[in-house]
């Protein structure tokens, strides 16, 4: 390392996203909102996509590099319009964060055939088709990073919290990540996954406000707590940036030690 280099220079070289374009789905709240913010703060133009345009607009008012886009990720026309807008306005798409998702019922007996299929459509299938659209538009010689957001529920059973359809969708995300990494690696498209542990978001509504379930999280997490706001953002920034340029097909677990116990 050059002794005249400064920490900001090194951080910019490794983690800077200036002139890059990113898409974050499910960006209107929770972890997705944080992902959009951190990528924008690192210099990227971020197309923040979700169904709740009012929330995205408020987010964009706080961050001038965030572009709000109403998008239902289960609608192929919306997915196409999202990718087309990136290329039409910015001429490129360098980072895709497939974050959109929702929970399902906790008990298998409560699952219906349509409900199971609908949840997979949001949590798994939509991200696959969006990744394919992004890969199809990538010019030859250009590199890109696709980051799929899974869950500890995709790695281990978390009964009585979790759910069969949700577990199946998040485990599927991990298998899909490995397969797409293998298929697209020689094209310069890296595909990795992030596995969040327990964070206090809309997806886990009531988990931390209930004394019994909050104690369950603390008891079964090596760090004896849930994740704090922002504690997973660094993993997404790392995978989006040149700091992870030799990583693909990888699952990065950010769970306070939940799955290592």
């Amino acid at each position: 390392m050059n002794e005249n280099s400064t920490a900001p220079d090194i951080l910019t070289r490794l983690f800077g996203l200036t002139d890059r374009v990113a898409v974050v789905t499910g960006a209107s709240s929770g972890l997705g909102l944080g992902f959009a913010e951190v990528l924008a703060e690192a210099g990227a133009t971020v197309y923040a996509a979700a169904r709740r345009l009012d929330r995205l607009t408020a987010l964009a008012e706080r961050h001038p590099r965030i572009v709000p886009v109403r998008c239902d990720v289960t609608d192929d026309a919306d997915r196409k319009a999202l990718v087309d807008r990136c290329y039409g306005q910015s001429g490129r798409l360098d980072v895709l964060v497939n974050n959109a998702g929702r929970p399902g019922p906790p008990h298998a007996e409560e699952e219906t055939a349509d409900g199971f299929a609908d949840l997979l459509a949001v949590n798994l299938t939509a991200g696959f088709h969006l990744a394919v659209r992004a890969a199809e538009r990538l010019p030859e010689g250009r590199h890109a990073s696709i980051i799929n957001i899974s869950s500890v529920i995709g790695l281990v059973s978390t009964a009585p919290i979790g759910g069969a359809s949700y577990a199946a969708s998040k485990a599927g995300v991990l298998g899909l990540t490995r397969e797409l990494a293998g298929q697209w690696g020689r094209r310069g498209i890296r595909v990795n996954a992030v596995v969040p542990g327990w964070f206090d978001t809309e997806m886990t509504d009531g988990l931390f406000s209930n004394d019994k379930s909050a104690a369950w999280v603390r008891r079964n997490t090596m760090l004896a707590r849930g994740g704090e706001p922002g504690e997973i953002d660094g993993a997404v920034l790392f995978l989006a940036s040149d700091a992870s340029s030799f990583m693909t097909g990888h699952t990065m677990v950010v769970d306070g030690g939940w799955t290592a116990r």
Side-chain angles (χ1 to χ4, degrees), residues 74-241:
T74 65
D75 186 313
D76 189 55
D78 278 11
R79 293 191 297 259
K80 181 179 185 301
L82 175 59
V83 174
D84 288 348
R85 184 169 178 182
C86 288
Y87 277 96
Q89 294 182 340
S90 299
R92 60 193 297 167
L93 175 52
D94 304 286
V95 179
L96 169 62
V97 183
N98 279 317
N99 169 73
R102 65 175 180 83
H107 305 297
E109 295 86 351
E110 299 172 350
E111 301 269 12
T112 65
D114 288 344
F116 198 101
D118 289 346
L119 189 138
L120 263 65
V122 177
N123 291 9
L124 176 60
T125 309
F128 165 71
H129 289 298
L130 190 53
V132 169
R133 284 216 174 268
E136 288 174 338
R137 291 293 300 270
L138 189 70
E140 186 176 353
R142 180 76 60 80
H143 292 183
S145 174
I146 296 173
I147 304 164
N148 297 321
I149 307 303
S150 182
S151 166
V152 290
I153 299 172
L155 286 174
V156 298
S157 172
T158 60
I161 296 174
S165 57
Y166 189 79
S169 70
K170 292 304 184 179
V173 165
L174 300 180
L176 180 64
T177 295
R178 291 188 295 268
E179 179 60 23
L180 295 182
Q183 290 194 23
W184 295 342
R186 284 175 170 75
R187 293 178 52 190
I189 302 174
R190 298 187 298 111
V191 188
N192 294 287
V194 174
V195 173
W198 301 107
F199 286 80
D200 190 2
T201 68
E202 285 185 10
M203 288 277 287
T204 58
D205 184 38
L207 180 65
F208 291 93
S209 59
N210 179 281
D211 290 342
K212 184 176 180 180
S213 57
W216 176 74
V217 170
R218 293 193 298 269
R219 185 170 63 251
N220 290 288
T221 304
M222 288 182 177
L223 294 183
R225 62 178 178 84
E228 299 291 341
E231 285 193 310
I232 198 166
D233 295 348
V236 170
L237 176 59
F238 172 67
L239 292 176
S241 70

Side-chain angles (χ1 to χ4, degrees), residues 38-81:
V38 74
L39 296 181
E41 289 166 3
T45 298
V46 180
Y47 289 80
R51 291 179 299 176
R52 296 178 291 191
L53 184 58
D54 57 332
R55 293 194 178 194
L56 297 175
T57 301
L59 175 62
E61 289 173 353
R62 301 195 301 271
H63 297 276
R65 282 191 289 271
I66 290 181
V67 180
V69 182
R70 189 200 175 280
C71 177
D72 179 348
V73 294
T74 65
D75 186 313
D76 189 55
D78 278 11
R79 293 191 297 259
K80 181 179 185 301

